[in-house]
Amino acid sequence: MLNLQPYENPQYFLYLIIALLPVIIGMFKGFRMHWYESIFSLVFLVLIFDADKWPQGKALLGYVVFNLLLVYAYFKYRTREGSKNSTAVFYLSVALGIAQLAIVKFTPLFQHHGSILGFLGISYLTFRVVGTIMEIRDGSIKDLNMWKFVQFLLFFPTISSGPIDRYRRFVKDYDRVPDPEHYAQLVTKAMHYLMLGFLYKFILGYIFGTLWLPSVEHMAMASRGGAFLGLSWPVVGVMYAYSGYLFFDFAGYSLFAVAISYLMGIETPMNFNKPWMSYNIKDFWNRWHMSLSFWFRDYIYMRFVFFVMKHKWLKSRVSTAFVGYLVLFLIMGIWHGETWYYIVYGLFHAMLINLTDAWLRFKKKHKDFFPHNKATHYFAIFMTANAVCLSFLIFSGFLDTLWFH
């Protein structure tokens, strides 16, 4: 049976555009066919998880059923008259929401094969579930339509790797039909993003990831014998080649997901905003994988800081922020995987962002000694880009191969 993985090849886009034609025509004529969008999404989900991917499909079905019941039960509990909004019930709901993902992530520590509960996109569905539970807890979500929540949870353009949307924002787009002029702008943007995505993922990503990266990795492995820790100039080449590949491959995918969302009238948030122009690491995280970094900021960092300040565990705001960043990036590292280089990647970014905070405080007190001009601005961009590339070298796992294999 035909199996299609999201945005993997031109054939996928051909089927996708043909299936989207009724949606596009309907939008231009001022009406929305929710029934067709649902069937269309279901068909493509089946094509993603059929054939040899069917075990993942069964895991997805189980996940969806369990988490629909979980979110519905917590919403009913939270909105019932006289609800105590128990912290224990909230923590239990969040724990249950991340349970399947946690099992999938940590199974490789105990056995050589992956968990039968895993499926493509489990992390991003978990972000949606947990984010929704947290907004129900806050009282931000006062009306939860379970059918619309299913559409939000299984919105197929973004199911495999995001961008991560929020329930309330998604429903606003889902409920409205954009006027023809606005939809024409969305289609124009979608075509631009599709072309840019093809350039990024299938041309530049191919150059960096297929043509350059294996060559410099081979040179780096061949040069490791006579160098300290195996480090050599080819390792620097690996650092830059992998960083380029990671950006163009993932940014290309994200552009595809946003473009298809726009064609469906859903203005999924962008994931990248010129990250290589960042002038410090905080600015970088406001530009790189933005839907993920904002999710971690809003649902982990801010809540952790509020909890610590409320219970007066730390008196200093500086200390609270310091610990908050450690917790945030440690969790982010573990989320990527349980191997040492993902954890070190997270801790490295925690160190960078805490050093940035310290530098900004020092600079604020000594304004006269540190002029700000074009030269210093571009130097800051250069330093930030190289620090990020070094972190991606850690993230790539190549150092693990270089040192231990």
Side-chain angles (χ1 to χ4, degrees):
M1 189 174 179
L2 179 67
N3 181 270
L4 294 174
Q5 293 305 294
Y7 316 115
E8 190 175 62
N9 54 53
Q11 183 186 20
Y12 180 85
F13 290 92
L14 176 63
Y15 293 138
L16 196 56
I17 296 301
I18 292 173
L20 275 171
L21 283 176
V23 175
I24 296 170
I25 293 170
M27 291 287 188
F28 274 119
K29 289 185 173 293
F31 63 90
R32 186 171 204 142
M33 297 181 291
H34 281 139
W35 63 270
Y36 178 81
E37 292 177 24
S38 299
I39 295 173
F40 160 68
S41 297
L42 178 61
V43 168
F44 271 83
L45 285 173
V46 170
L47 291 175
I48 291 172
F49 292 104
D50 68 347
D52 62 327
K53 304 293 183 183
W54 176 232
Q56 290 190 36
K58 291 189 286 186
L60 171 64
L61 284 174
Y63 179 93
V64 170
V65 170
F66 175 79
N67 282 283
L68 285 178
L69 293 173
L70 173 65
V71 171
Y72 179 76
Y74 185 70
F75 178 76
K76 285 298 183 181
Y77 163 78
R78 179 67 181 87
T79 56
R80 74 181 181 185
E81 188 174 350
S83 172
K84 295 181 180 180
N85 194 16
S86 167
T87 300
V89 174
F90 167 67
Y91 286 159
L92 176 61
S93 300
V94 170
L96 290 173
I98 66 173
Q100 187 166 332
L101 175 62
I103 293 171
V104 170
K105 289 292 184 182
F106 289 104
T107 293
L109 287 175
F110 307 102
Q111 58 188 38
H112 295 298
H113 57 82
S115 170
I116 60 173
L117 298 178
F119 58 87
L120 179 70
I122 185 173
S123 290
Y124 291 89
L125 266 65
T126 301
F127 288 137
R128 295 172 196 176
V129 167
V130 174
T132 301
I133 291 173
M134 289 186 173
E135 291 192 353
I136 292 171
R137 154 81 167 186
D138 296 342
S140 302
I141 296 177
K142 302 183 184 300
D143 180 37
L144 183 70
N145 182 299
M146 294 309 295
W147 174 249
K148 293 176 184 177
F149 181 71
V150 172
Q151 300 295 320
F152 163 69
L153 189 62
L154 295 177
F155 187 57
F156 94 90
T158 63
I159 193 170
S160 60
S161 298
I164 306 165
D165 209 344
R166 312 285 175 100
Y167 173 76
R168 288 180 297 156
R169 200 221 61 76
F170 176 88
V171 167
K172 285 181 181 179
D173 286 352
Y174 184 80
D175 284 341
R176 69 180 175 87
V177 179
D179 62 77
E181 182 179 351
H182 180 59
Y183 186 66
Q185 293 174 354
L186 291 180
V187 171
T188 301
K189 288 181 180 179
M191 293 301 105
H192 172 69
Y193 292 155
L194 283 174
M195 294 302 102
L196 190 59
F198 270 95
L199 172 64
Y200 278 14
K201 185 172 179 64
F202 295 122
I203 298 177
L204 295 175
Y206 175 80
I207 290 172
F208 278 93
T210 304
L211 298 183
W212 292 350
L213 184 58
S215 298
V216 289
E217 284 182 336
H218 177 75
M219 288 188 287
M221 294 298 289
S223 305
R224 63 178 172 171
F228 175 69
L229 293 178
L231 301 177
S232 60
W233 284 113
V235 175
V236 177
V238 172
M239 179 179 81
Y240 288 125
Y242 180 80
S243 297
Y245 163 72
L246 182 65
F247 169 70
F248 288 119
D249 185 76
F250 192 27
Y253 162 85
S254 295
L255 287 168
F256 292 148
V258 171
I260 301 304
S261 300
Y262 279 14
L263 293 177
M264 297 179 70
I266 304 293
E267 297 185 47
T268 294
M270 293 293 289
N271 239 358
F272 295 90
N273 179 24
K274 301 177 182 177
W276 300 112
M277 295 302 294
S278 306
Y279 53 85
N280 63 40
I281 204 68
K282 296 185 79 170
D283 186 41
F284 172 79
W285 280 108
N286 285 325
R287 295 169 177 264
W288 175 275
H289 203 174
M290 296 184 292
S291 65
L292 176 72
S293 63
F294 295 165
W295 193 96
F296 272 85
R297 178 197 66 191
D298 295 344
Y299 297 127
I300 295 180
Y301 176 77
M302 295 301 295
R303 289 169 187 272
F304 175 82
V305 167
F306 177 77
F307 182 85
V308 168
M309 293 180 68
K310 179 181 178 181
H311 292 83
K312 298 180 180 179
W313 286 2
L314 297 169
K315 295 181 180 179
S316 166
R317 292 195 175 199
V318 173
S319 300
T320 302
F322 180 90
V323 175
Y325 286 131
L326 282 176
V327 171
L328 169 69
F329 284 102
L330 180 60
I331 292 174
M332 186 181 288
I334 293 172
W335 167 69
H336 280 103
E338 77 289 346
T339 50
W340 70 265
Y341 44 86
Y342 289 135
I343 296 171
V344 171
Y345 165 82
L347 293 175
F348 182 72
H349 271 278
M351 178 192 72
L352 288 178
I353 207 164
N354 278 313
L355 287 174
T356 299
D357 263 359
W359 165 250
L360 292 175
R361 289 193 302 271
F362 180 80
K363 187 178 176 181
K364 187 176 181 180
K365 293 179 180 179
H366 303 84
K367 293 180 181 179
D368 297 337
F369 294 96
F370 299 100
H372 180 76
N373 51 46
K374 284 188 177 181
T376 58
H377 180 73
Y378 286 119
F379 179 72
I381 291 173
F382 173 78
M383 294 297 291
T384 302
N386 279 277
V388 168
C389 287
L390 178 56
S391 76
F392 289 160
L393 175 64
I394 298 169
F395 179 86
S396 71
F398 179 72
L399 294 179
D400 184 71
T401 303
L402 186 71
W403 293 339
F404 306 117
H405 299 282

